[in-house]
Amino acid sequence: MTAALDQAVLDAARAALVELCESGSPVVRPETVDETLAVAVRRWQSFHRRNDRSADVNTRTNDLAKGLLNTFEPDPTLAGPLKADYHHLAATLANVFATA
């Protein structure tokens, strides 16, 4: 089982989401910061239960991007250029989560 992320990591992740929002990210809005964080934490922590335990951070980042895209886009197949934005969002959060 993956250890729970501590409050400092969660605060850093929330700050990263706010920064993405303020810098104009089309996939992070002020009203969705907390929901995005909750989805990302759940996806990050459940990775090893759903996948190969020896996977690297890049694989986990791609999985996180997929989960965020599938959660927040009504039809992920139509997301087009937003896929790159979700990957950037996932990479930003993965950098924070990987420090835990």
Side-chain angles (χ1 to χ4, degrees):
M1 175 177 241
T2 304
L5 299 174
D6 68 23
Q7 191 60 48
V9 173
L10 296 174
D11 291 344
R14 182 174 281 105
L17 289 172
V18 169
E19 185 176 323
L20 284 173
C21 182
E22 290 174 351
S23 68
S25 172
V27 295
V28 182
R29 295 178 308 281
E31 65 273 11
T32 64
V33 166
D34 289 334
E35 181 183 7
T36 301
L37 181 58
V39 168
V41 166
R42 187 172 56 248
R43 183 78 178 198
W44 184 262
Q45 291 184 317
S46 68
F47 178 84
H48 290 303
R49 183 175 37 90
R50 296 177 290 101
N51 297 283
D52 177 14
R53 291 187 178 271
S54 65
D56 61 9
V57 173
N58 188 51
T59 302
R60 291 186 77 179
T61 301
N62 290 337
D63 179 72
L64 180 55
K66 179 181 176 183
L68 291 166
L69 176 71
N70 289 338
T71 299
F72 293 107
E73 291 302 316
D75 186 350
T77 62
L78 299 177
L82 288 178
K83 288 180 182 181
D85 294 303
Y86 279 104
H87 194 272
H88 178 69
L89 166 60
T92 300
L93 290 172
N95 284 336
V96 175
F97 295 159
T99 65

